[in-house]
Structure formats: C-alpha cells, structure tokens
Amino acid sequence: MPKIKLPTKSPHIDMTPMVDLFSVVLTFLMLTTTMRQPEPAPVDTPSSSSEKSTPEFNTMTLLLSKDNKVYLNFDNYNVLGQDTSVAFRPKILVEMGKRYNIEFTAAEQAEFKKIPSAMGVPILKMKEFLDTKDLKARTALQTGIPIDSTDNQLADWIFCTRTVNPNVQAQIKGDAKTGFEVVKRVLDIMADKNVFKFNLITTLEGKVNLAEIQK
Amino acid sequence: MAEIIQEEKAGGKKKAKKHAPHIDMTPMVDLMCLLITFFMLTTAFSKPKIMEINLPEKIKDKNVEPPKISASRTHNLILGPNNKIYWYTGTVKPEDYNNLPPVTELDFSAGPNGVRQIMLDRNKALFKKIADFKNQVLTGKIVMPADSVQKAISRLKTDDDTGPIVLIKAYKKATYGNFVDILDEMSICGIARYTFVEIAWYEEKMVETAAGIAPTPTPARK
C-alpha cells in the first residue's frame, strides 16, 4: 500500500475576519475609553444601591485611604482631558500659597495643573514636590494632608477651593476600611467651613427593587 | 496619448492579479491583541456612583434650642466595631448613666437580624399611606396629572409624622464602609428622616457593655 502523502504546505488560515473583529473592538474601546486615573493610594470604595453618577466638573474630591491619610483632588479637566472652561487648579494653588507665604512660579503652577490624580502633600513640601520630576521622590512626599487642629491644612485647602470656585461640590472617596475617626474629623472640618452637603463615591452593587422591599 | 496610458495601466493590473498577494497579518494581529488588552485593562467601564448626604448644620448660637422630636419615634443606630449596629429607641439622659437601657445587636444583612427588617417594619405606616394613595390614583378616586403624583408622594414622605426618626451615630471603631452601608439602608428602607449625629459618651458606654469591650475612660461628665 502506498502511503498517503500529506501535503507539506503549511495551512493558510484566513485571518481577515478576525482582524476585522479586532479592529471593531479596538476602535470601540479607543473611542469609549476614559482612562483610569492613577491614585496615590489604592482605594476600594464601598458599594451602595445608589444609581446617581458622579458629576464631571466642579468637584473637589477627598480621598481617604486605608491607612487613614487624606488626599485631595480638584477637577480642572474633565475625564476626556478637555479644559473645563477655567483652569481652577493653578488659582487654588496660588491662593493657598498666599496663606502660607509661598510663591509658586509659573512652571510650578503649570505642573500642578497637569497632575492627574489626588495629592497628599503638605503645603510646605509642595514646592519640592512640584519641582522634582522623579516619580519615586514624588510618591515619598505624599504623606497625606495634615488635618490636626494645630496644622489644619485641609481646612485651608477647602477654603481656597471654595474661594476660587464657589460652585464646587465636595465628594468623599473613601476606602471601606478607613477608620471612622478620620472620616469624622474630615466631616467636622467641612462643617466648620460650612460645607454640609456631600457626595459619597460608591460603586454600584446591584439594583435593588425598592417597590418590592417597601411593600 | 491618453488611451495609450490607459492601456498600460490595464496591463499593469493584470500582472498584479496573477499571484494573489498573501500579506502576513500575524504581526498586525499581535499588535491589535496587545492594544485591545491594554485598553480593556485601563478603561474604567463603570462610572463611580454617588450617594448624597446632608449633615445637620452646626448650631453655633447657644441660645437656639435644637428641635424637639418625640422620643417614641426616635431610633438610635450606633455603628459599632466588627460591622455590628447597636440599636435602641427613645432617648437617654446623661443622668441615668448608671441605668442605661439595653441595646439590640443588629447587622447589615437583609435577614431577620438585619437593620433592614427593623426599619422596614417601623416604616410600614408610611408605605401603607403611599400604597393607599397610589391605589386611589389608579382606581380614579383621586384625579391628578401624572407628574404631580410623584410630588404628592414625596410630600407624603416629608410630612410623615408617624415614621421613624433615625439618628445615626458612630462608635470610634466603625469604618467608613459601615457609614456608607447604613446610609444606603436608610434610602432602601425609604426613611424620610435620618441624620448623622455625634455619639454621646454614655452611648459609647452602652456599646462597650454590649460588645464586651473594655470601657474607655470618659472625660469630664457634664
């Protein structure tokens, strides 16, 4: 019996449909993507049944990390990277500098404007933070905003933010494991500055049928 | 002249057609896979949600008395350690610190021991009112445009004088997650009146007794 000769030619798979599909997915992802901002500390937000979305601008976000540090972020750009009409961030920095007799150069202001994430740098270290380009050195400087009653920089930040942008809405983004004492302290500071309305940032845990429950 | 050029072009095309071009697409596919993976990992698909909360204003003027609320409708929920809630009704005066009322231990579940059952139970009267109202609208006893029905319902909620008034307090070992959870429960249970207030020292003591924690020395008892 003669052996059946197998074709030695390598099979040619037509990859065109696959490439087509990939292109579609890729285009979709590229168009819909909003980049996840790197945060100075990982934060696992608690879940809730609320379905309201976060506002995109006029926000001031307080980040409360698991190790009880406070970071602050203000929007200047919305998520798509467009300027929301006015650049608030440099103005807030200048305002803050005035209170602590620190003068920030134009370059430093521009740098402050560019930072995409929350910051937890004590104001006296802010110049150093903005001047350095080294990421590791920057991370080392993020020790959290002081909230002690003797050195209450958070209150000053809130005051300056509200002076520059009166429409700002306070948002709290906390880790579920953050101790309540810090939260309480932050709420007290806000109340002292006459901020009584907050948005707590949460993740959606699944729809709750209110009509069913509230029978 | 033009015709000649056309002819030449046609000739060229034919040549190209002779062997079907096989472009190796593997590198392109590789790259696309890489990009897709990158975008899928960096994309924040679910936008974070928010929960609104209003805190009571601080009364700075000592002459202004805090509003009076009826004790029987007052429910105190104290967020304790280990994701527990301690619940008691009514009010406690600092004078009776030797004779503190017992607290009930609840958790965040929807089960029989959960805070949801208790609050839904206490809020039944309001739900019944709303259901009755809806029924009357449906059966045509009350005639009103659709958009004012919602308004009327929310008015029912704010004017409610039977439902619970919930005071949320936090023991120092509670977490932010507990705080968000309890506020969420309030909105799920449709509690019209709830607020967050500071915990009193005798309430801390009540939690400590119930949870079996060594009591913290209390500062000057006024």
Side-chain angles (χ1 to χ4, degrees), chain A residues 43-62:
Chain A
V43 163
D44 268 334
T45 50
S47 52
S48 80
S49 61
S50 169
E51 284 177 54
K52 260 188 206 158
S53 291
T54 44
E56 288 191 4
F57 18 84
N58 287 339
T59 57
M60 153 172 88
T61 310
L62 291 147

Side-chain angles (χ1 to χ4, degrees), chain B residues 78-127:
Chain B
I78 308 171
L79 306 171
N82 303 327
N83 300 330
K84 293 279 181 226
I85 308 167
Y86 295 93
W87 165 58
Y88 74 95
T89 48
T91 50
V92 178
K93 291 200 183 73
E95 297 94 83
D96 350 303
Y97 67 87
N98 279 321
N99 186 23
L100 292 169
V103 288
T104 318
E105 195 181 283
L106 303 174
D107 53 32
F108 285 100
S109 71
N113 215 4
V115 68
R116 191 178 296 177
Q117 284 303 321
I118 306 280
M119 284 303 127
L120 285 174
D121 200 45
R122 293 295 180 284
N123 217 6
K124 251 182 196 161
L126 175 64
F127 293 146

Side-chain angles (χ1 to χ4, degrees), chain B residues 7-51:
Chain B
E7 264 179 10
E8 265 180 11
K9 263 190 178 171
K13 259 185 188 169
K14 263 178 199 165
K15 251 185 192 172
K17 264 185 185 171
K18 258 178 195 166
H19 41 144
H22 259 294
I23 305 164
D24 187 13
M25 276 195 269
T26 330
M28 180 175 157
V29 172
D30 285 357
L31 187 73
M32 276 178 146
C33 279
L34 209 72
L35 282 175
I36 287 179
T37 325
F38 169 74
F39 274 105
M40 277 170 86
L41 290 180
T42 50
T43 302
F45 269 116
S46 57
K47 248 194 109 195
K49 304 290 173 193
I50 52 164
M51 206 159 62

